[in-house]
Amino acid sequence: MGNKLITLENISKSYGSNTVLDELNLYINENEFLTLLGPSGCGKTTTLRIIGGFETPDTGKVIFDGKDITSLAPNKRQVNTVFQKYALFTHMTIAENIAFGLKIKKKSKAYIDDKIKYALKLVNLEDFANRMPDSLSGGQQQRIAIARAIVNEPKVLLLDEPLGALDLKLRQDMQYELIRLKNELGITFIYVTHDQEEALTMSDTIVVMNQGYIQQIGTPENIYNEPENAFVADFIGDSNIISGTMIHDELVEILNVKWACVDKGFGINKPVDVVIRPEDVELVKEDEGTIKGIVTNIIFKGVHYEMEVMANGFEWLVHSTSLFPVGTKVGIKVDPFNIQIMNKPESEDEEAIGVEE
Amino acid sequence: MKNKYIKFLSAPYIIWALIFIIVPLLMVFYYGFTDKSGAFTISNITAIATHEHSKALWLALYLSLISTAICILLAYPLAMILSHIGENAGANKDKYMVFIFILPMWMNFLLRTIAWQTLLENDGVINSFLNLLHLPALRIINTPAAIVFGMVYNFLPFMVLPLVNALNKIDINVINAARDLGANSVQTFLRIILPLSLPGLISGITMVFIPSLTTFIVSDLLGGSKILLIGNVIEQEFTQYSNWNLGSGLSIVLMIFIIVSIVLSTIFDKDMEGTAI
Ligand SMILES: Nc1ncnc2c1ncn2[C@@H]1O[C@H](COP(=O)(O)OP(=O)(O)OP(=O)(O)O)[C@@H](O)[C@H]1O
Ligand SMILES: [Mg+2]
């Protein structure tokens, strides 16, 4: 992908004694769709505010296009933001809201009118030009906030949970719209969400954050299939996280049973965390499995059944298209390739920081 | 049922209002439209046209407008600092600063003004101090400037508080959004902060302009007896000349000006949002 557009170097930020970001390092490529993903309060908005210029980091630098912009005023940055709570100008009509940035830049009336029409069409609110923001629903206001930002054709668009107030259908439509828009305008997106599904669908790169630390950076496939630690595995999708011992390369012991796997280089007799995705757990006849268990619960989920299987004291989460009624004795098998081994954090602190490789 | 109950609760206030607001008001109207013998006349009203009276009214209007304007200029920056818009102001510090600011308001109005009289006098505290430093003395007492000073000093909090209140209602991210879209601080102020805090500004104007227009204490103490505002004229009619009829007539005229300014402010501020402190 393109060259580095934004670099965050050793960014730290505290409010009083609350350290929100700690030595954060991150770079964003031109044209990239980068998503900051993490639980509430992990510092996603704070990171965006630092890039947007509304917050100055205590230490560290923000580099944009090779220039240090750490203390540059927000209005001088080639970045536009879609704020988490829309932040529309309540004393202006929708059209005036959208026109705000363009009027500041002294664009011609015809140009502005064109842009308003284009933007309203894009967010599917063509008839709303003369309405006041207060008369719109949350989802409509959110779309206006997106329209207001994109008409300025920024180099980078910062979006803070821009689809949070939308229902599922509209949300999916807007996801496609945003991706289309991004490709059409050729701009870089830095996107914040705590919805892992949204992150997996839309992003080129996902940055998983927790308590101000980056847990893992990678492509959606990467993050999903090879989580680096239990936090990431747990946060992204459902998973079975079991502690075990790495006997030696390609052999791991979990729940007192030895399993073949494909991971190497963890050492000998090392404590590890093992992740197995529910869709990778195969239910077979009792004596054909690696371990034996009994189905304890079953929920129909549409595409598949979600089952809970008790085996060797661990409740396995299993997704399968074939049904095994509650009480069935089953065997559990897992393809060695689908057993994901992760270093075990040795302290609470390390758990937050994530494990360096 | 519920309605009756609420009416019952409001009885004490209605009685209070009847005795202390409605009855005196009716008396003002009675005296204003009669002469000493009790016969109907409008001469007390038209008396405003005499040179002495109209001069006092225009001077009062003029000085009140100046004071209000100065209050706006002083109050906006102050209110911005005191409100959450003030950069790096933590929530606790905010309340503390507003508290410090309104502290002098709890001191008696008369006392504060007398204090300024003593300070500003030709041989007062300030001039003694300037003298000590061999600086030229401040000849301000008994001038319109001193009156404006007194008005601004006494009524500034009434401009600041509604403004702080209105500014605190503005979402910080709305201001951030304006900056984000390229507006510099001046543009952000003019296009976002000013219009969004307009209700506060309007109620601030009303709360400074009306007391300034009607004051006689400030002009009495800081203007000497030479500068008469309409408030002083009315006061003198009641206290010195015992001409309640003329005093009431001029009061009615002043009331018209007050009502006009309140009506003007409600036109600008339809929801009356800013009035609640
Ligand atoms: N102005 C502030 N003053 C004090 N603490 C703050 C301030 N802004 C944010 N914080 C704290 O910083 C932490 C991170 O906040 P941030 O808004 O970045 O979280 P977030 O990841 O965006 O969460 P969410 O998903 O809920 O929006 C929180 O603990 C929050 O309380
Ligand atoms: Mg947030």
Side-chain angles (χ1 to χ4, degrees):
Chain A
M1 210 174 302
N3 42 336
K4 286 182 194 177
L5 188 59
I6 299 178
T7 312
L8 302 182
E9 260 179 39
N10 291 320
I11 300 278
S12 296
K13 179 79 196 171
S14 325
Y15 294 107
S17 62
N18 179 13
T19 304
V20 177
L21 297 176
D22 199 356
E23 298 273 320
L24 185 110
N25 283 291
L26 182 64
Y27 66 87
I28 298 124
N29 287 318
E30 216 166 325
N31 272 329
E32 189 172 2
F33 193 128
L34 181 131
T35 299
L36 301 177
L37 176 67
S40 190
C42 72
K44 304 182 296 290
T45 298
T46 307
T47 309
L48 275 202
R49 286 168 60 80
I50 286 171
I51 300 173
F54 309 113
E55 202 74 78
T56 327
D58 300 336
T59 64
K61 277 194 235 167
V62 183
I63 315 275
F64 185 94
D65 230 356
K67 287 185 217 70
D68 185 344
I69 59 159
T70 317
S71 47
L72 193 70
N75 53 325
K76 305 240 169 74
R77 300 189 181 197
Q78 291 169 299
V79 168
N80 281 123
T81 310
V82 178
F83 289 88
Q84 189 163 8
K85 295 205 182 85
Y86 336 136
L88 296 181
F89 306 130
T90 48
H91 59 299
M92 297 180 189
T93 64
I94 296 305
E96 286 167 340
N97 264 277
I98 296 173
F100 188 86
L102 302 172
K103 278 188 188 153
I104 296 278
K105 292 188 194 80
K106 304 216 157 55
K107 300 282 188 195
S108 73
K109 172 113 178 36
Y111 179 88
I112 294 177
D113 288 346
D114 261 12
K115 277 284 183 186
I116 293 173
K117 230 185 235 149
Y118 161 81
L120 284 176
K121 191 166 169 186
L122 201 73
V123 295
N124 231 332
L125 293 172
E126 279 145 301
D127 299 331
F128 286 69
N130 295 316
R131 296 265 293 266
M132 298 305 281
D134 283 345
S135 74
L136 270 59
S137 75
Q140 290 166 341
Q141 291 187 36
Q142 210 158 37
R143 283 182 281 159
I144 295 301
I146 294 172
R148 183 179 66 177
I150 54 151
V151 290
N152 300 287
E153 299 177 5
K155 268 200 167 172
V156 180
L157 193 60
L158 309 178
L159 303 105
D160 199 348
E161 306 199 21
L163 308 183
L166 307 186
D167 60 64
L168 188 65
K169 178 78 179 67
L170 197 54
R171 204 182 168 97
Q172 284 167 347
D173 288 351
M174 281 302 291
Q175 287 178 3
Y176 287 112
E177 280 308 310
L178 282 175
I179 293 172
R180 191 175 62 76
L181 198 77
K182 184 192 158 293
N183 295 333
E184 210 169 275
L185 299 175
I187 52 183
T188 308
F189 271 34
I190 304 179
Y191 194 95
V192 163
T193 182
H194 56 240
D195 179 340
Q196 43 100 7
E197 222 172 282
E198 193 168 287
L200 292 172
T201 325
M202 300 177 78
S203 326
D204 297 323
T205 306
I206 297 178
V207 178
V208 184
M209 293 175 69
N210 188 29
Q211 294 174 26
Y213 294 102
I214 292 179
Q215 301 288 318
Q216 187 172 356
I217 304 178
T219 62
E221 289 86 355
N222 203 282
I223 298 268
Y224 188 84
N225 292 329
E226 285 149 44
E228 271 171 24
N229 58 45
F231 175 83
V232 177
D234 194 34
F235 197 75
I236 309 283
D238 296 322
S239 50
N240 297 292
I241 303 173
I242 314 165
S243 56
T245 310
M246 199 69 185
I247 307 288
H248 52 72
D249 282 357
E250 298 181 9
L251 191 71
V252 64
E253 182 183 301
I254 46 175
L255 307 171
N256 302 322
V257 181
K258 294 192 173 60
W259 304 68
C261 64
V262 294
D263 291 275
K264 293 179 208 170
F266 283 86
I268 290 176
N269 289 327
K270 269 285 172 119
V272 289
D273 277 326
V274 176
V275 179
I276 301 166
R277 295 288 178 191
E279 63 270 24
D280 294 333
V281 180
E282 280 176 73
L283 296 185
V284 292
K285 288 208 189 81
E286 201 181 357
D287 37 64
E288 286 174 12
T290 316
I291 57 172
K292 292 172 186 164
I294 182 162
V295 179
T296 56
N297 202 357
I298 183 156
I299 301 166
F300 179 58
K301 285 273 186 168
V303 191
H304 57 76
Y305 295 98
E306 182 176 296
M307 284 168 280
E308 280 166 16
V309 177
M310 184 55 102
N312 285 15
F314 182 83
E315 194 145 83
W316 294 68
L317 193 67
V318 183
H319 290 172
S320 168
T321 45
S322 38
L323 173 68
F324 295 82
V326 172
T328 316
K329 291 193 171 137
V330 291
I332 290 178
K333 240 174 79 173
V334 183
D335 187 313
F337 192 76
N338 288 328
I339 295 180
Q340 173 69 22
I341 313 284
M342 305 175 303
N343 270 313
K344 211 178 181 56
E346 266 145 35
S347 65
E348 284 273 321
D349 214 26
E350 201 180 335
E351 193 162 354
I353 298 168
V355 183
E356 311 292 317
E357 277 181 274
Chain B
M1 279 301 282
K2 206 176 173 188
N3 246 341
K4 264 185 200 162
Y5 185 59
I6 287 168
K7 269 185 194 151
F8 173 73
L9 281 180
S10 65
Y13 175 72
I14 290 174
I15 293 167
W16 164 276
L18 212 61
I19 297 174
F20 293 105
I21 299 175
I22 308 290
V23 171
L25 211 55
L26 290 176
M27 282 170 71
V28 166
F29 275 95
Y30 171 75
Y31 281 109
F33 285 102
T34 54
D35 60 16
K36 286 235 159 74
S37 62
F40 176 79
T41 175
I42 56 161
S43 64
N44 295 321
I45 309 287
T46 53
I48 191 67
T50 64
H51 177 70
E52 186 200 355
H53 293 160
S54 61
K55 195 182 145 202
L57 179 61
W58 291 127
L59 188 61
L61 280 170
Y62 178 64
L63 295 186
S64 314
L65 279 176
I66 291 179
S67 312
T68 310
I70 294 175
C71 279
I72 294 173
L73 292 179
L74 290 178
Y76 246 112
L78 188 58
M80 301 257 277
I81 295 166
L82 293 178
S83 74
H84 68 171
I85 292 169
E87 268 178 323
N88 305 325
N92 291 329
K93 191 175 132 206
D94 265 1
K95 275 178 205 141
Y96 198 56
M97 292 203 16
V98 174
F99 177 75
I100 287 177
F101 184 75
I102 60 173
L103 203 60
M105 280 176 70
W106 292 344
M107 207 164 58
N108 184 281
F109 171 75
L110 203 60
L111 214 60
R112 272 181 289 163
T113 313
I114 292 173
W116 274 112
Q117 190 187 27
T118 327
L119 287 171
L120 292 176
E121 255 165 0
N122 284 341
D123 49 0
V125 178
I126 291 177
N127 278 336
S128 315
F129 187 66
L130 289 175
N131 196 17
L132 211 68
L133 298 174
H134 300 288
L135 288 168
L138 199 62
R139 304 260 169 246
I140 186 180
I141 194 79
N142 300 343
T143 65
I147 299 178
V148 168
F149 179 87
M151 287 174 173
V152 170
Y153 176 78
N154 277 312
F155 304 131
L156 183 63
F158 297 106
M159 181 69 80
V160 174
L161 291 181
L163 269 183
V164 168
N165 191 48
L167 290 172
N168 274 336
K169 281 188 192 156
I170 303 177
D171 179 359
I172 285 292
N173 275 337
V174 167
I175 295 166
N176 284 342
R179 303 280 286 157
D180 186 77
L181 293 166
N184 60 32
S185 348
V186 177
Q187 289 166 324
T188 306
F189 178 79
L190 292 178
R191 295 182 194 206
I192 306 296
I193 299 176
L194 186 63
L196 286 176
S197 59
L198 203 59
L201 179 65
I202 304 265
S203 59
I205 290 174
T206 329
M207 286 165 77
V208 170
F209 181 72
I210 292 174
S212 300
L213 184 63
T214 53
T215 189
F216 56 88
I217 292 175
V218 174
S219 40
D220 226 22
L221 293 173
L222 300 178
S225 42
K226 290 203 187 80
I227 301 167
L228 292 184
L229 302 186
I230 189 69
N232 302 86
V233 172
I234 294 171
E235 185 234 34
Q236 285 178 2
E237 291 305 331
F238 279 102
T239 57
Q240 285 182 25
Y241 309 124
S242 299
N243 189 346
W244 287 32
N245 305 90
L246 184 55
S248 299
L250 294 176
S251 298
I252 292 169
V253 175
L254 191 52
M255 235 182 281
I256 292 169
F257 276 87
I258 293 170
I259 290 168
V260 167
S261 62
I262 290 176
V263 168
L264 280 181
S265 69
T266 40
I267 288 171
F268 278 109
D269 177 20
K270 290 188 191 77
D271 325 317
M272 292 296 281
E273 272 180 89
T275 25
I277 292 182

